[in-house]
């Protein structure tokens, strides 16, 4: 798969993106220079805990950052345009029509007092100037394709008459209405039951294949990543700390933060107590000198507190920002924790990845 | 339909309680209705007998209720308009009060909405701050203070408007001219109240997830706000209409007296001071009835705006 990606067409390219927020305490550096490419037809997962800057980065891509946000540096290239420089007056032609978004919380994402049908057809009628009947036909087709039974009847109902999973299907239908080529999923299953989660993920995979979508999938749930992703970016404190294919991230993780994330993921076989990551993420008004993860890192070295590690290339597709990969440190032979190693062996044997 | 009947039933029950309470409170006040040194004692007693004033209070209450239910008979005025039917007085006094109250309501609603929208869209700019300063001023200072200020500045210092209501006006224009100041005085507070509520509601709705969804599906920001935030903000605003209307009516009590407007509001104040109990009770009940009808209309209009009330109620 790694080789395939190299030949593929890049649809979206983020270069050195920096996003700050003006807050009362000072300037919050939410995203501190991230770069990644999205290839056509792939699913790129962005993983990280709350406050790591993953949602902020996709909001920057969609041009829906809050008013107090500043894009300090970098570019987001899409179809020859730099999205960081597109004016708000014209951005709505890209949103929905070219890049769609699926929300975290389908319960609050739908307008409670507007009929479901109108919420799906609204942008078709406003932006594509479709006739009412024509838009309705498209909407019914979409509702059918996202698995809504009796779409004709459901078309005239209100959000409160739908269950959480059904609402998320509607949100997906709305995101697909503009026929986008990039679909961004911002933790689309966090607010749903586990059984419903699986169905929604299946649906996203299915429509991705049908429409040859390029998907950016934001989550903090590594189990979901294993099911969905071709490639993974691990983010911490506003930076990408490790990037690689799903196999590389799950089977050969290189960054201590990725180790910690994988160790804290529950599975059916581990009898030991799960490892939690000690401490909390740093205050991003005053990001620490050196590696931002150093203070929580059991493997931190002196240099981690002084200098920020660059990205060390491991393979053509795999890189991580940790001094452990520096030739001098690598000589010491620090390896991932034994428990995690055993767990990865189990995952390899059971074929946990289907991505 | 069942919901409508329930609401009407609740309204009638409330009205009954208001009637009982205002009867009790006013009648327990220490003032004889027919006290007048020029009228011989026997005649006073005869009159008191005729109006059952020497019976125990519960019996009086029974007669009072019977009169209202059987023929809108609230008794007669004994001090301010001796001998006249109270209901007739209210009806004849109604037009000026209704005129200034309704005009001030119909001025306040659009102005309040416009300022609320402007403040919400220009949040945290100098425009928003300026509006907020006036909002606080107009909400916290009662309407009669503005009435006297307006009266002083615009009729005495700069004599533009007449000081008092022009009851001899022959044209509608002249009459409205003399009603301008009281209408302005009455409108300031409701405009400010509405502005404040709508600003808050809109700001909350603009930062909601469904506005974000509306924008990510390709609506421009103005489209998203007009089509989604505005209607959702109107629901809580509807309930503030009740307090708006009762606020205007309450302010009207004093403002009518200050501008010598021959309306029910001024009449109520005068009747209390004069001890014209039948009249006081009747006007109190009348005002309560108007408020209750307002509440009923607002309650019922929810179902028009909010499908959750309409569809959910049918289940």
């Amino acid at each position: 798969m790694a080789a395939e990606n190299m030949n593929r067409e890049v649809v979206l390219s983020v270069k050195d993106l920096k996003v700050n927020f003006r807050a009362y305490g000072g300037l919050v550096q939410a995203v501190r220079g991230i770069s990644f490419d999205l290839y056509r037809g792939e699913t790129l997962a962005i993983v990280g805990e709350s406050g790591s800057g993953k949602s902020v980065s996709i909001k920057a891509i969609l041009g829906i950052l809050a008013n107090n946000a500043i894009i300090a540096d970098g570019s987001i290239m899409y179809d020859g345009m730099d999205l960081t420089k597109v004016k708000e007056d014209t951005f709505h032609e890209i949103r929905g029509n070219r890049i769609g978004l699926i929300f975290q919380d389908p319960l609050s994402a739908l307008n409670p007092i507007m009929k479901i049908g109108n919420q799906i057809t609204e942008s078709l009628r406003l932006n594509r100037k479709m006739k009412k009947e024509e838009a309705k036909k498209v909407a019914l087709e979409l509702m059918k394709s996202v698995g809504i039974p009796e779409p004709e009847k459901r078309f005239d109902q209100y959000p409160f008459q739908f269950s959480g999973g059904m609402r998320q299907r509607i949100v997906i239908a709305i995101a697909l209405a503009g026929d986008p080529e990039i679909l961004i999923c911002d933790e689309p299953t966090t607010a749903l039951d586990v059984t419903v989660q699986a169905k929604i993920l299946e649906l996203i995979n299915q429509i991705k294949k049908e429409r040859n979508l390029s998907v950016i999938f934001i989550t903090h749930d590594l189990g979901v990543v294993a099911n969905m992703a071709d490639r993974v970016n691990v983010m911490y404190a506003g930076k990408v700390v490790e990037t690689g294919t799903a196999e590389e991230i799950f089977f050969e993780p290189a960054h201590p933060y990725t180790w910690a994330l994988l160790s804290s993921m529950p599975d059916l076989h581990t009898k030991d107590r799960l490892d939690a990551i000690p401490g909390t993420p740093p205050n991003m008004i005053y990001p620490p000198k050196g590696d931002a993860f150093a203070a929580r890192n059991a493997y931190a070295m002196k240099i981690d507190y002084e200098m920020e590690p660059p990205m060390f290339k491991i393979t053509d597709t795999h890189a991580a920002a940790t001094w452990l990969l520096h030739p001098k440190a690598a000589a010491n032979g620090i390896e991932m924790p034994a428990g995690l190693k055993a767990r990865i062996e189990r995952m390899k044997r059971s074929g946990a990845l289907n991505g | 339909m069942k919901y409508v009947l329930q609401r009407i039933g609740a309204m009638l029950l409330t009205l009954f309680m208001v009637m009982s309470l205002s009867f009790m409170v006013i009648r327990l006040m220490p003032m004889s209705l027919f006290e007048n040194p020029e009228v011989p004692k026997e005649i006073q007693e005869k009159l008191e007998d005729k109006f059952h004033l020497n019976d125990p209070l519960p019996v009086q209450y029974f007669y009072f209720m019977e009169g209202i239910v059987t023929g809108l008979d609230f008794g007669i005025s004994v001090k301010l308009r001796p001998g006249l039917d109270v209901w007739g007085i209210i009806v004849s006094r109604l037009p000026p009060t209704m005129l200034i109250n309704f005009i001030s309501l119909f001025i306040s609603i659009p102005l309040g909405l416009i300022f609320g929208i402007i403040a919400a869209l220009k949040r945290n700019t100098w425009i928003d701050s300026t509006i907020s300063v006036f909002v606080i001023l107009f909400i916290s200072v009662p309407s009669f203070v503005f009435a006297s200020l307006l009266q002083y500045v615009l009729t005495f210092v700069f004599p533009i408007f007449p000081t008092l209501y022009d009851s001899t006006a022959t044209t509608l224009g002249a009459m409205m001219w003399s009603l301008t100041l009281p209408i302005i005085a009455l409108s300031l507070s409701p405009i400010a109240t509405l502005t404040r509520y709508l600003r808050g509601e809109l700001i909350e709705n603009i930062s909601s997830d469904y506005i974000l969804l509306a924008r990510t599906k390709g609506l421009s920001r103005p489209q998203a706000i007009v089509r989604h935030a505005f209607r959702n903000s109107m629901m809580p605003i509807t309930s503030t209409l009740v307090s708006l209307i009762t606020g205007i009516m309450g302010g009207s009590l004093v403002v009518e007296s200050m501008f010598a407007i021959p309306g029910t509001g001024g009449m109520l104040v005068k009747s209390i001071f004069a001890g014209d109990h039948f009249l006081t009770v009747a006007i109190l009940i009348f005002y309560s009835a108007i408020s209750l009808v307002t509440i009923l209309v607002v309650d019922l209009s929810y179902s028009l705006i909010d499908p959750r009330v309409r569809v959910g109620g049918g289940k």
Side-chain angles (χ1 to χ4, degrees):
Chain A
M1 186 158 291
E4 271 174 52
N5 276 336
M6 297 314 291
N7 304 326
R8 277 190 190 159
E9 175 195 354
V10 173
V11 262
L12 184 85
S13 178
V14 177
K15 282 267 170 321
D16 200 32
L17 182 69
K18 286 182 182 145
V19 183
N20 297 334
F21 287 93
R22 279 187 302 266
Y24 286 113
L27 214 55
V28 180
Q29 302 177 25
V31 174
R32 301 187 297 153
I34 61 165
S35 304
F36 62 84
D37 291 332
L38 178 69
Y39 298 101
R40 188 172 300 284
E42 76 162 347
T43 299
L44 171 69
I46 302 182
V47 186
E49 62 196 290
S50 308
S52 60
K54 50 193 192 324
S55 283
V56 175
S57 347
I58 61 134
K59 281 189 174 156
I61 293 173
L62 282 162
I64 48 171
L65 285 167
N67 287 335
N68 61 340
I70 315 154
I71 296 183
D73 199 5
S75 66
I76 302 168
M77 294 308 292
Y78 168 74
D79 196 18
M81 293 175 280
D82 184 353
L83 294 186
T84 61
K85 298 199 168 56
V86 174
K87 290 271 182 326
E88 173 59 32
D89 317 342
T90 48
F91 214 128
H92 67 95
E93 289 160 16
I94 299 165
R95 279 193 297 258
N97 300 315
R98 317 289 297 273
I99 307 177
L101 175 70
I102 300 176
F103 271 68
Q104 185 172 133
D105 184 3
L107 302 183
S108 61
L110 294 167
N111 184 345
I113 59 171
M114 194 177 200
K115 284 179 182 167
I116 288 296
N118 291 342
Q119 301 201 41
I120 301 177
T121 56
E122 193 178 26
S123 74
L124 294 175
R125 296 187 56 195
L126 286 176
N127 293 334
R128 303 257 168 117
K129 309 277 176 248
M130 268 191 200
K131 291 260 164 24
K132 199 175 172 184
E133 300 76 37
E134 196 188 349
K136 181 171 178 175
K137 224 156 116 194
V138 175
L140 290 176
E141 208 48 55
L142 276 169
M143 287 169 79
K144 213 180 286 166
S145 71
V146 296
I148 305 274
E150 300 182 80
E152 281 86 2
K153 183 182 148 209
R154 293 299 216 166
F155 189 84
D156 284 322
Q157 289 187 333
Y158 290 94
F160 71 93
Q161 293 163 304
F162 285 66
S163 67
M166 283 295 155
R167 283 192 222 187
Q168 190 61 296
R169 285 171 196 267
I170 294 294
V171 172
I172 294 173
I174 291 174
L176 295 177
D179 200 15
E181 58 174 337
I182 299 177
L183 188 64
I184 300 180
C185 309
D186 187 2
E187 308 200 23
T189 54
T190 310
L192 302 174
D193 287 343
V194 181
T195 47
V196 182
Q197 267 187 23
K199 286 183 191 149
I200 294 291
L201 293 178
E202 204 178 291
L203 174 66
I204 293 175
N205 265 337
Q206 176 205 327
I207 53 179
K208 178 199 150 194
K209 279 195 199 91
E210 283 169 8
R211 294 166 175 256
N212 194 27
L213 294 172
S214 314
V215 178
I216 299 180
F217 202 97
I218 309 279
T219 184
H220 56 249
D221 185 344
L222 287 167
V224 171
V225 174
N227 281 319
M228 304 290 293
D230 299 313
R231 288 192 309 128
V232 183
N233 280 344
V234 181
M235 278 189 78
Y236 184 79
K239 293 202 156 192
V240 174
V241 293
E242 184 163 1
T243 175
T245 63
E247 286 90 344
E248 285 164 338
I249 296 293
F250 277 89
F251 295 156
E252 288 143 36
H255 196 283
Y257 181 64
T258 316
W259 297 348
L261 275 185
L262 287 168
S263 304
S264 58
M265 178 173 75
D267 71 9
L268 290 176
H269 307 283
T270 309
K271 301 269 189 314
D272 311 326
R273 202 187 162 89
L274 279 176
D275 292 333
I277 306 177
T280 51
N283 178 351
M284 295 313 287
I285 296 178
Y286 309 104
K289 203 177 146 199
D291 184 354
F293 187 58
R296 306 170 71 187
N297 183 1
Y299 306 91
M301 299 175 291
K302 195 168 171 235
I303 189 168
D304 281 319
Y305 293 95
E306 283 159 10
M307 250 177 96
E308 249 185 300
M311 277 297 220
F312 289 97
K313 196 168 159 184
I314 304 165
T315 69
D316 277 346
T317 50
H318 191 189
T322 169
W323 286 117
L324 292 178
L325 292 172
H326 191 272
K328 281 184 187 164
N332 294 337
I334 292 178
E335 288 197 337
M336 70 178 83
L340 178 61
K341 211 167 191 176
R343 178 182 261 214
I344 288 173
E345 281 310 313
R346 270 202 308 277
M347 286 199 295
K348 276 184 184 167
R349 276 202 306 276
S350 65
L353 285 186
N354 59 3
Chain B
M1 201 55 216
K2 193 180 156 208
Y3 176 71
V4 177
L5 290 178
Q6 265 175 3
R7 299 309 308 172
I8 293 177
M11 186 193 92
L12 290 178
L13 188 68
T14 318
L15 187 63
F16 169 75
M17 293 196 293
V18 169
M19 285 161 78
S20 313
L21 262 179
S22 35
F23 173 84
M24 294 298 171
V25 170
I26 303 295
R27 282 301 173 82
L28 289 173
M29 288 205 300
M31 236 195 248
S32 167
L33 266 181
F34 298 102
E35 219 171 54
N36 189 337
E38 288 168 28
V39 180
K41 201 99 187 125
E42 309 86 73
I43 296 182
Q44 279 191 30
E45 275 170 13
K46 281 257 162 57
L47 277 170
E48 287 176 350
D49 276 345
K50 183 173 186 314
F51 290 99
H52 314 290
L53 294 181
N54 292 322
D55 292 333
L57 211 53
V59 179
Q60 289 189 35
Y61 175 68
F62 174 75
Y63 282 118
F64 164 77
M65 283 303 210
E66 191 194 21
I68 296 174
V69 174
T70 53
L72 278 180
D73 177 13
F74 288 87
I76 58 162
S77 168
V78 288
K79 297 274 172 69
L80 293 176
R81 300 282 183 280
L84 285 184
D85 179 44
V86 163
W87 183 246
I89 296 177
I90 293 181
V91 171
S92 71
R93 285 273 176 151
L94 214 48
T97 301
M98 287 295 120
L99 191 67
I100 59 168
N101 288 8
F102 274 115
I103 291 179
S104 120
L105 185 67
F106 287 127
I107 290 175
S108 311
I109 292 175
L111 284 181
L113 294 183
I114 290 170
F115 286 124
I117 293 170
I118 295 175
L121 294 183
K122 302 281 174 195
R123 178 157 69 122
N124 298 340
T125 63
W126 65 269
I127 301 174
D128 179 28
S129 313
T130 315
I131 292 179
S132 294
V133 168
F134 281 103
V135 161
I136 291 166
L137 186 73
F138 290 153
I139 286 180
S140 45
V141 179
S143 54
F144 60 84
V145 176
F146 287 115
S148 36
L149 266 176
L150 287 168
Q151 229 169 9
Y152 176 73
V153 177
L154 291 180
T155 73
F156 180 73
V157 184
F158 306 104
I160 302 169
F161 292 96
T163 318
L164 300 174
Y165 171 66
D166 186 1
S167 56
T168 59
T170 45
T171 62
L172 187 69
M175 191 185 77
M176 290 312 298
W177 189 246
S178 67
L179 285 177
T180 309
L181 291 188
I183 288 173
I184 294 177
L186 283 178
S187 305
L188 293 178
S189 157
I191 292 174
T193 313
L194 206 54
T195 302
R196 194 174 68 106
Y197 271 105
L198 187 63
R199 176 188 181 270
E201 282 298 328
L202 267 180
I203 285 177
E204 201 185 313
N205 277 310
I206 286 174
S207 54
S208 71
D209 274 1
Y210 56 81
I211 290 297
L212 207 57
L213 179 76
R215 290 179 64 203
T216 57
K217 74 182 170 193
L219 268 62
S220 67
R221 206 173 117 90
Q223 277 176 334
I225 289 172
V226 171
R227 298 178 64 93
H228 293 271
F230 195 65
R231 195 163 153 226
N232 274 289
S233 304
M234 286 319 288
M235 280 188 287
I237 294 297
T238 319
S239 52
T240 65
L241 278 184
V242 175
S243 64
L244 232 55
I245 292 172
T246 51
I248 292 177
M249 290 197 309
S252 184
L253 298 182
V254 185
V255 171
E256 279 175 34
S257 307
M258 293 176 66
F259 287 90
I261 298 167
T264 44
M267 197 72 174
L268 176 63
V269 180
K270 272 189 229 157
S271 75
I272 292 170
F273 286 125
D276 203 340
H277 292 346
F278 288 124
L279 192 53
T280 311
V281 173
I283 299 180
L284 277 180
I285 292 173
F286 178 75
Y287 270 65
S288 313
I290 292 183
S291 310
L292 286 171
V293 170
T294 314
I295 294 172
L296 180 74
V297 170
V298 167
D299 272 359
L300 296 182
S301 66
Y302 275 140
S303 63
L304 291 180
I305 307 176
D306 191 343
R308 284 166 294 190
V309 176
R310 185 174 2 136
V311 187
K315 276 181 185 167

